């Protein structure tokens, strides 16, 4: 016997990609542009800090995070967003944002909303954990298009009032993966008003918040505070994976209202796996430093400039506002990925693998996602190859 609710899932994006490409020979030197795994250097003190605290592996780590890590995170939230939060009550260190985005639904999604099965709003395309979290708590995921027509952000306010009244949670990603779109201050304000009106929570996935061009993206917690919204309205999720090039550290945090964080901690006490102590010690030092983050942004600024130069003559090219993905228009995503692989050895992800089929079709079907994480020269070669192969050498 197996659960019904997971039986209709498509294979995850990366096994699907392997099935699509791996029976073909690559047409040239392989360049991986699929996975969003940062390749810039991690902060140079990580190894020493880890070594200093290695005896911590002999202890069970505190479930709620060390007080020092909680404080480092609260200090960072104050520095970045100007919002004062109580370190002990409003911060929960995570093993990366992915598990937090999942477990938050477990801890906070009610069994019913207004007497009915709750709905969870998910932008489409989206980071895949949102959907599986919704399904796991027996809620109904509602896929809200985030397409070129909507500025690549979901227009939640376009949903019928009865859908919104049944909504328990809206996932929102800004800067967004895969499109690199940024929710403005006004966007957040409108969404928070909508959430107040229809009484749902916003889970704000802000893990790309530090990879931007000039202006730091507004954060949901800051806007909620300015509007005087309920402190329980918003939970934000942040990560060291992208900000600090530490995807393998598995370190992030959730911050929000004391009741929400308390409930998430309680679930974690029963079923969670706290970050090992030495890794918490490393995370604490990394949140406390901005210089490496500024340096990292400079590296991405060079990459944005390269991408803009390479694709300047490509019709429909939209320069990402933030993050490190390009969301490139193509007639057919899988055909484009296969052609690129077979003819050049460049590996990219078909957009439809990051989106859900709906009655209106799959909003990723006419895109490929390209991660700009490889070293600069490889990345530039990869982008030029994509241009020449898919866009008829548009220059
Ligand atoms: C939009 C988005 N959210 C969350 C994550 C998870 O990141 P982590 O668990 O490494 O913090 C990713 C990773 O690629 C992502 O793209």
């Amino acid at each position: 016997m197996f659960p019904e609710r997971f039986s209709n899932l498509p294979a995850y994006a990366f096994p699907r990609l392997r099935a699509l490409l791996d029976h073909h020979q690559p047409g040239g030197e392989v360049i991986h542009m699929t996975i969003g795994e940062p390749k810039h250097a991690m902060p140079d003190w990580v190894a020493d800090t880890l070594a200093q605290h290695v005896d911590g592996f002999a202890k069970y780590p505190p479930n709620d995070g060390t007080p020092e890590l909680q404080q480092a995170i609260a200090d960072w939230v104050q520095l970045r967003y100007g919002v004062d939060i109580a370190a002990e009550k409003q911060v929960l260190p995570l093993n990366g944002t992915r598990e937090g985005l999942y477990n938050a639904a477990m801890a906070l999604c009610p069994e019913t909303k207004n007497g009915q099965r709750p709905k969870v709003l998910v932008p489409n395309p989206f980071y895949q954990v949102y959907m599986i979290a919704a399904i796991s708590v027996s809620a109904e995921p509602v896929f809200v298009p985030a397409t070129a027509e909507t500025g690549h952000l979901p227009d939640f306010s376009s949903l019928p009032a009865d859908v919104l009244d049944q909504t328990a949670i809206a996932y929102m990603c800004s800067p967004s993966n895969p499109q690199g779109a940024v929710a403005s201050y006004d966007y957040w304000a409108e969404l928070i008003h909508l959430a107040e009106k229809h009484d749902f929570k916003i889970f704000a996935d802000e893990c790309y918040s530090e990879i931007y061009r000039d202006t730091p993206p507004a954060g949901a917690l800051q806007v909620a505070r300015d509007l005087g919204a309920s402190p329980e309205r918003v939970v934000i999720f942040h990560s060291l994976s992208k900000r600090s090039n530490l995807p393998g550290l598995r370190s992030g945090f959730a911050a929000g209202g004391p009741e929400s964080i308390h409930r998430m901690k309680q679930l974690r006490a029963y079923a969670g796996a706290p970050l090992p102590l030495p890794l918490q010690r490393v995370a604490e030092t990394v949140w406390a430093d901005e210089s490496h983050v500024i340096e990292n942004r400079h590296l991405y600024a060079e990459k944005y400039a390269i991408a803009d130069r390479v694709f300047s003559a490509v019709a429909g090219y939209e320069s990402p506002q933030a993050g490190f993905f390009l969301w490139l228009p193509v007639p057919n995503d899988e055909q484009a990925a296969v052609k690129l692989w077979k003819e050049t050895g460049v590996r990219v992800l078909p957009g439809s693998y990051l989106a859900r089929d709906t009655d209106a079709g799959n909003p990723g079907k006419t895109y490929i996602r390209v991660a700009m994480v490889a070293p600069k020269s490889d990345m530039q070669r990869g982008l030029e190859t994509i241009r020449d192969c898919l866009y008829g050498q548009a220059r």
Side-chain angles (χ1 to χ4, degrees):
M1 254 183 9
F2 293 101
E4 248 328 283
R5 63 188 185 283
F6 300 125
S7 41
N8 291 328
L9 293 177
Y12 200 64
F14 295 106
R16 248 177 120 179
L17 183 68
R18 288 194 285 276
L20 181 74
L21 298 185
D22 284 359
H23 55 284
H24 301 293
Q25 287 301 313
E29 195 190 330
V30 173
I31 306 181
H32 287 279
M33 307 192 90
T34 50
I35 193 165
E37 182 181 70
K39 300 281 184 226
H40 300 159
M42 67 176 77
D44 56 12
W45 64 87
V46 166
D48 286 348
T49 309
L50 189 60
Q52 263 168 37
H53 294 284
V54 77
D55 56 343
F57 283 125
K59 296 181 181 150
Y60 278 115
N63 180 60
D64 301 349
T66 61
E68 293 83 3
L69 177 55
Q70 291 173 350
Q71 192 58 54
I73 291 168
D75 291 346
W76 182 80
V77 170
Q78 163 57 236
L79 178 81
R80 175 65 171 79
Y81 296 116
V83 179
D84 283 321
I85 52 174
E88 196 196 332
K89 292 197 161 67
Q90 293 187 266
V91 171
L92 178 58
L94 301 170
N95 294 352
T97 45
R98 178 157 70 167
E99 65 94 354
L101 288 158
Y102 183 82
N103 284 314
M106 288 289 185
L108 303 178
C109 188
E111 287 78 9
T112 58
K113 172 82 189 294
N114 288 331
Q116 288 175 291
R117 181 184 176 202
K119 296 186 191 295
V120 170
L121 308 185
V122 176
N124 197 21
F126 59 100
Y127 186 59
Q128 300 293 295
V129 76
Y130 313 154
M131 176 191 69
I132 207 72
I135 294 174
S136 297
V137 296
S138 299
E140 182 196 341
V142 175
F143 297 99
V144 185
T147 58
E149 291 74 46
T150 62
H152 295 293
L153 297 171
D155 180 6
F156 293 124
S157 64
S158 67
L159 293 169
D162 61 325
V163 171
L164 293 166
D165 284 337
Q166 234 179 295
T167 296
I169 291 162
Y171 280 98
M172 176 63 199
C173 187
S174 170
S176 69
N177 169 9
Q179 312 95 322
V182 171
S184 66
Y185 188 98
D186 290 347
Y187 180 98
W188 280 121
E190 191 186 324
L191 178 56
I192 291 164
H193 280 310
L194 197 71
E196 292 266 279
K197 182 167 170 205
H198 295 278
D199 191 20
F200 60 83
K201 282 189 195 302
I202 299 165
F203 288 175
D205 180 355
E206 300 180 339
C207 72
Y208 293 96
S209 66
E210 303 317 288
I211 302 178
Y212 54 81
R213 286 165 183 262
D214 305 312
T215 314
L221 209 58
Q222 151 200 14
V223 180
R225 186 272 321 267
D226 292 354
L227 297 178
S230 157
E232 305 299 338
R233 189 60 62 203
V234 169
V235 185
I236 61 169
F237 297 86
H238 283 260
S239 176
L240 293 179
S241 299
K242 326 288 178 183
R243 170 188 182 269
S244 302
N245 304 317
L246 286 166
L249 185 66
R250 306 310 306 131
S251 179
F253 73 84
E259 179 64 24
S260 303
I261 296 297
H262 167 72
R263 285 171 178 260
M264 288 174 69
K265 283 179 177 171
Q266 193 179 37
L267 183 74
R268 216 173 174 77
Y270 280 97
L275 197 66
L277 254 181
L279 307 191
Q280 295 200 34
R281 296 293 180 205
V282 170
E284 180 191 323
T285 63
V286 176
W287 283 113
D289 182 79
E290 284 301 310
S291 58
H292 74 281
V293 185
I294 294 168
E295 215 172 291
N296 199 31
R297 258 197 304 276
H298 287 149
L299 296 177
Y300 284 114
E302 290 175 1
K303 291 183 166 180
Y304 294 139
I306 292 170
D308 291 350
R309 260 199 316 276
V310 170
F311 293 107
S312 59
V314 169
Y317 168 69
E318 290 183 75
S319 186
Q321 290 175 281
F324 50 56
F325 294 113
L326 299 178
W327 189 232
L328 297 177
V330 290
N332 177 295
D333 63 338
E334 285 183 310
Q335 283 170 13
V338 171
K339 178 176 161 72
L340 259 176
W341 177 245
K342 281 171 63 178
E343 293 182 11
T344 74
V346 173
R347 212 168 161 96
V348 300
L349 197 62
S352 61
Y353 294 8
L354 301 166
R356 192 72 171 177
D357 291 341
T358 64
D359 292 345
N362 184 312
K365 194 66 206 162
T366 52
Y367 290 90
I368 51 172
R369 192 189 75 173
V370 178
M372 296 194 290
V373 292
K376 201 167 69 176
S377 58
D378 290 355
M379 190 213 74
Q380 174 155 357
R381 200 156 44 85
L383 297 189
E384 286 168 354
T385 306
I386 293 171
R387 177 197 59 199
D388 295 349
C389 177
L390 296 184
Y391 302 102
Q393 311 199 348
R395 283 167 202 266

